[in-house]
Amino acid sequence: GVGKTTCGKYAASKMSQCEFYDLDMCIASSYKRRSPSEVLVMDLGNDRDRFFEASCVELDKIPKGINNNSNLCLVAVGAGSLESKSAKDWLSGFKTIFFDAPPCEVFSRNPHPYWKDRNLKDFVATEYSEDRKAIYNSATVFSVAFMTKDQAKEKFLDFLIKRILKT
């Protein structure tokens, strides 16, 4: 929805020493599903704690440190996967980037079939809760507000080079 995967894949395709992982897709693949929403509803009984556990299992599979010729490992992690202590502990050892956009813009980009009855107010209450704000506040902010996908991809690549890798 906000562009983590789009920008991460793009950066990895342009930077030879960059790896990219999408935690949501790692979870879905592990359960042989199309999306993490399917896993949550169909395999985990809509139990968020079990989903957080599945997130941690997948996070543990992602290499820690530099692999092969890689000097940058990007992991797209939705905030929902960060609400467990073990996921926060895992993340605390890394530089994190928060992709920021106004809630109404992010909501309009997220037409999840399992959330068809979800309205903007519910979305904001969950996605911008105090717990999530604490996660977001500990990260470096990258704003994708009002950008096209192509603009966001180019700006993110530039952001990585200038702010994260500092070259």
Side-chain angles (χ1 to χ4, degrees):
V2 77
K4 299 179 299 287
T5 298
T6 297
C7 291
K9 282 181 177 178
Y10 182 75
S13 75
K14 296 292 182 184
M15 301 170 72
S16 63
Q17 295 184 322
C18 178
E19 295 178 54
F20 174 75
Y21 300 87
D22 181 324
L23 180 60
D24 284 347
M25 296 319 299
C26 291
I27 293 167
S29 177
S30 178
Y31 283 83
K32 297 179 178 31
R33 298 286 184 190
R34 290 177 296 164
S35 72
S37 299
E38 283 186 5
V39 173
L40 179 62
V41 172
M42 300 168 118
D43 297 296
L44 304 178
N46 218 19
D47 183 330
R48 306 267 327 152
D49 289 333
R50 289 179 63 202
F51 185 78
F52 302 145
E53 290 170 16
S55 298
C56 292
V57 167
E58 295 307 314
L59 286 171
D60 284 341
K61 293 178 186 177
I62 295 172
K64 298 183 181 50
I66 306 305
N67 281 338
N68 304 323
N69 294 323
S70 174
N71 63 7
L72 180 64
C73 180
L74 300 173
V75 182
V77 180
S81 297
L82 298 177
E83 291 180 352
S84 70
K85 182 177 179 344
S86 53
K88 288 177 190 173
D89 289 346
W90 181 91
L91 192 67
S92 68
F94 301 93
K95 284 187 180 180
T96 58
I97 302 167
F98 166 51
F99 277 61
D100 187 31
C104 58
E105 185 178 344
V106 178
F107 181 74
S108 69
R109 295 179 186 181
N110 283 284
H112 293 289
Y114 296 106
W115 298 340
K116 60 184 171 221
D117 297 326
R118 194 178 195 196
N119 61 39
L120 178 59
K121 183 179 176 183
D122 292 339
F123 177 82
V124 171
T126 303
E127 305 301 321
Y128 294 83
S129 68
E130 291 305 312
D131 192 42
R132 292 204 184 170
K133 285 179 187 174
I135 295 166
Y136 303 152
N137 288 338
S138 67
T140 301
V141 176
F142 175 70
S143 178
V144 294
F146 312 110
M147 287 187 202
T148 66
K149 281 185 179 185
D150 287 338
Q151 289 170 327
K153 290 188 303 189
E154 289 298 331
K155 289 191 182 274
F156 183 63
L157 182 60
D158 187 58
F159 172 86
L160 284 176
I161 293 167
K162 290 181 178 172
R163 297 238 0 239
I164 303 302
L165 297 175
K166 294 182 178 144
T167 58

